[in-house]
């Protein structure tokens, strides 16, 4: 077995002023090129785990254990370079875009910052990226402002900006959760095709087990800051070992199958 890209060992995180830890004794290995879903309900510690992987937690958190990345050169690091090696897509697409900057400028800015491109080259690269994320009429969109776009389109722009520097790792933290279900599925397919084309490692965070199972090779389940189960996606879905995973699956099945309501005859 090759060395994991990221090795998380006995990781515990406590926010300042809190008596209970947000994460407790997490052990998880992530391999290069795989798609890992981290699932769990709200407050289970998904964002805390994602942020600690990306080195985005505030300095004042108390942490123990370790997160170690081994990038392709073989050198170890506490976390990959945000933006350059690792892209992070947030839940709220509006919040990750600047409302007063044109779409083209925002994506170009990201390309300009991380790649040694002139501003003109960066603008050209931005237009290509808008095409890559399958936005219609990219040339026109370059001059649009975020408020002129739908939620799904904004999230595509945020993804274009995130992948501008061709990072090898993409963390999507509930990146589809604020969108309607059709748009969710479209964005999930987009993420999937991007990571396949680029051979990126995807860490997909969601509270939606169905979405996780459609996208991930492996699923890790968090409950109240503990990793209660991890395994190959199909195995976790078909034969969950932990009672909490079983509950999550059962809850989803209930939600996906609305009770039959008979309409009164007219
Ligand atoms: P999730 O992403 O699964 O909803 P989070 O990682 O955001 O979960 O939160 C895990 C726990 O840590 C929760 O109990 C939450 O209230 C707490 N928490 C998250 N961020 C902070 C913070 N900045 N300060 C204090 N507690 C926090
Ligand atoms: Mg979260």
């Amino acid at each position: 077995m090759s060395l994991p890209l990221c090795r998380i060992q006995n990781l515990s995180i406590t926010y300042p002023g809190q008596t209970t830890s947000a994460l407790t004794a997490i052990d998880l290995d992530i391999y290069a090129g795989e798609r890992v879903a981290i699932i769990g309900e709200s407050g289970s510690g998904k964002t805390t785990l994602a942020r600690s992987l990306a080195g985005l937690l505030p300095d004042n958190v108390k942490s123990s254990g370790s997160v170690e990345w081994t990038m392709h050169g073989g050198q170890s690091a506490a976390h990959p370079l945000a933006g350059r090696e690792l892209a992070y897509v947030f839940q709220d697409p509006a919040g990750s875009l600047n409302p007063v900057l044109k779409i083209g400028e925002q994506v170009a800015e990201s390309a300009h910052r991380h790649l040694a491109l002139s501003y003109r080259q960066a603008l050209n690269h931005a237009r290509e990226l808008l095409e890559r994320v399958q936005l219609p009429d990219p040339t026109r969109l370059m001059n649009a402002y975020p408020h002129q776009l739908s939620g799904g389109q904004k999230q595509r722009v945020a993804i274009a900006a995130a992948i501008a520097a061709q990072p090898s790792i993409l963390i999507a933290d509930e990146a589809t959760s604020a969108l309607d279900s059709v748009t969710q599925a479209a964005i999930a397919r987009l993420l999937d095709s991007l990571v396949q084309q680029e051979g990126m490692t995807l860490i997909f965070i969601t509270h939606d087990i169905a979405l996780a199972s459609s996208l991930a090779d492996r699923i890790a389940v968090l409950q109240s800051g503990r990793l209660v189960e991890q395994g190959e996606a199909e195995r976790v879905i078909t034969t969950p070992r932990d009672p909490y995973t079983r509950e999550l699956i059962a809850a989803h099945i209930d939600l996906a199958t609305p009770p039959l309501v008979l309409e009164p005859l007219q």
Side-chain angles (χ1 to χ4, degrees), residues 156 159 176 179 182-195 202 204 211 214-215:
R156 286 175 194 270
I159 292 168
T176 65
L179 307 169
V182 173
T183 312
Q184 269 195 13
I187 296 289
R189 274 199 306 277
L190 170 68
L191 288 173
D192 192 39
S193 73
L194 288 174
V195 298
L202 176 67
F204 186 76
L211 203 56
S214 70
L215 206 64

Side-chain angles (χ1 to χ4, degrees), residues 138-179:
T139 305
R140 192 182 56 84
L141 266 186
M142 290 287 287
N143 291 312
Y145 288 93
H147 76 267
Q148 297 172 288
L149 276 62
S150 71
Q153 289 175 329
K154 280 194 273 243
Q155 197 56 297
R156 286 175 194 270
V157 172
I159 292 168
I163 62 167
Q166 293 169 317
S168 58
I169 305 146
L170 178 65
I171 299 185
D173 186 358
E174 304 262 16
T176 65
S177 302
L179 307 169

Side-chain angles (χ1 to χ4, degrees), residues 169-243:
I169 305 146
L170 178 65
I171 299 185
D173 186 358
E174 304 262 16
T176 65
S177 302
L179 307 169
D180 66 77
S181 56
V182 173
T183 312
Q184 269 195 13
I187 296 289
R189 274 199 306 277
L190 170 68
L191 288 173
D192 192 39
S193 73
L194 288 174
V195 298
Q196 303 240 5
Q197 283 161 19
E198 306 293 325
M200 279 190 276
T201 306
L202 176 67
I203 301 170
F204 186 76
I205 292 170
T206 180
H207 60 268
D208 185 336
I209 196 162
L211 203 56
S213 68
S214 70
L215 206 64
D217 306 307
R218 219 146 53 84
I219 293 180
V221 186
L222 279 179
Q223 181 191 24
S224 309
R226 291 176 187 274
L227 195 67
V228 293
E229 175 153 10
Q230 58 165 306
E232 197 228 320
E234 199 186 317
R235 202 281 298 153
V236 172
I237 299 297
T238 55
T239 47
R241 289 177 189 149
D242 187 84

Side-chain angles (χ1 to χ4, degrees), residues 2-64:
S2 59
L3 220 67
L5 172 68
C6 179
R7 168 155 280 182
I8 304 160
Q9 286 181 305
N10 202 23
L11 179 70
S12 298
I13 304 274
T14 308
Y15 287 100
Q18 303 291 309
T19 47
T20 52
S21 52
L23 292 177
T24 307
I26 303 289
D27 287 307
L28 182 66
D29 286 344
I30 296 169
Y31 288 87
E34 73 171 343
R35 298 165 303 170
V36 182
I38 296 169
I39 68 169
E41 60 199 304
S42 176
S44 57
K46 302 182 298 297
T47 294
T48 304
L49 180 56
R51 286 181 169 270
S52 73
L53 295 182
L56 292 175
L57 281 178
D59 288 339
N60 59 2
V61 300
K62 222 170 73 197
S63 77
S64 61

